Amino acid sequence: MFFGDILSSKIDITRMNSPKPNQLFEQIAQIQRMERGKLSIMCETSEGTHFKLQAWENGKNLSRHVSSDQAPAVQEAIDGYHKFQDLTEQYAQQVIDRTRAELAVRSKKKKYHLRPKSSWPKTRKSSS
């Protein structure tokens, strides 16, 4: 077995294990909540933990306070957004791979037509 055979078999296994586009869309549709940004602890007091959510929106870093009772739901929404990004990246990669494969097949089938050589002799242009 050659290295190329091993490499191609690994690629085929990876493609077989990746979800189909309609499965990706189904998984995306199941995401009920999304939020961009990062949730971090602002401070911890005797009253509890205070959180802030930071996110880039319209070219600006926006920050907002998140109460301790809302923090788990906000984190779940952030995780939902990350899952959305991952699934859409998988879909994009599948389309890119398919497009490249189609283009490769077309380029192998493409026939180049060379112009027939002229029967007229070449003439040199004068340098004057």
Side-chain angles (χ1 to χ4, degrees):
M1 184 176 260
F2 293 100
F3 177 71
D5 296 332
I6 294 169
L7 184 61
S8 65
S9 66
K10 283 190 175 190
I11 290 170
D12 291 340
I13 291 169
T14 304
R15 287 183 184 153
M16 288 172 40
N17 292 335
S18 63
K20 304 283 184 218
N22 59 343
Q23 293 171 326
L24 292 171
F25 290 134
E26 289 172 7
Q27 290 178 35
I28 289 169
Q30 291 175 1
I31 301 171
Q32 297 298 310
R33 290 180 176 72
M34 285 190 256
E35 181 65 74
R36 289 186 184 102
K38 178 181 177 182
L39 187 65
S40 55
I41 296 173
M42 278 190 349
C43 64
E44 293 186 49
T45 65
S46 58
E47 299 169 1
T49 306
H50 298 276
F51 296 88
K52 70 175 175 179
L53 174 65
Q54 289 183 293
W56 281 96
E57 290 184 25
N58 301 322
K60 296 179 182 179
N61 185 15
L62 300 178
S63 181
R64 68 178 175 100
H65 180 266
V66 175
S67 65
S68 57
D69 61 326
Q70 290 181 334
V74 171
Q75 185 59 55
E76 183 181 323
I78 291 169
D79 294 342
Y81 182 70
H82 289 291
K83 184 174 182 179
F84 170 80
Q85 287 182 308
D86 180 53
L87 293 170
T88 55
E89 180 59 34
Q90 287 180 49
Y91 174 75
Q93 191 60 54
Q94 286 181 9
V95 173
I96 290 167
D97 291 344
R98 186 178 66 234
T99 302
R100 289 178 181 170
E102 289 170 359
L103 291 172
V105 167
R106 286 184 195 162
S107 70
K108 289 178 185 176
K109 290 182 179 179
K110 188 175 183 180
K111 296 178 183 175
Y112 295 99
H113 299 286
L114 299 175
R115 292 188 316 162
K117 291 188 178 188
S118 173
S119 59
W120 291 91
K122 287 188 177 181
T123 57
R124 296 188 105 184
K125 294 183 180 179
S126 66
S127 59
S128 51

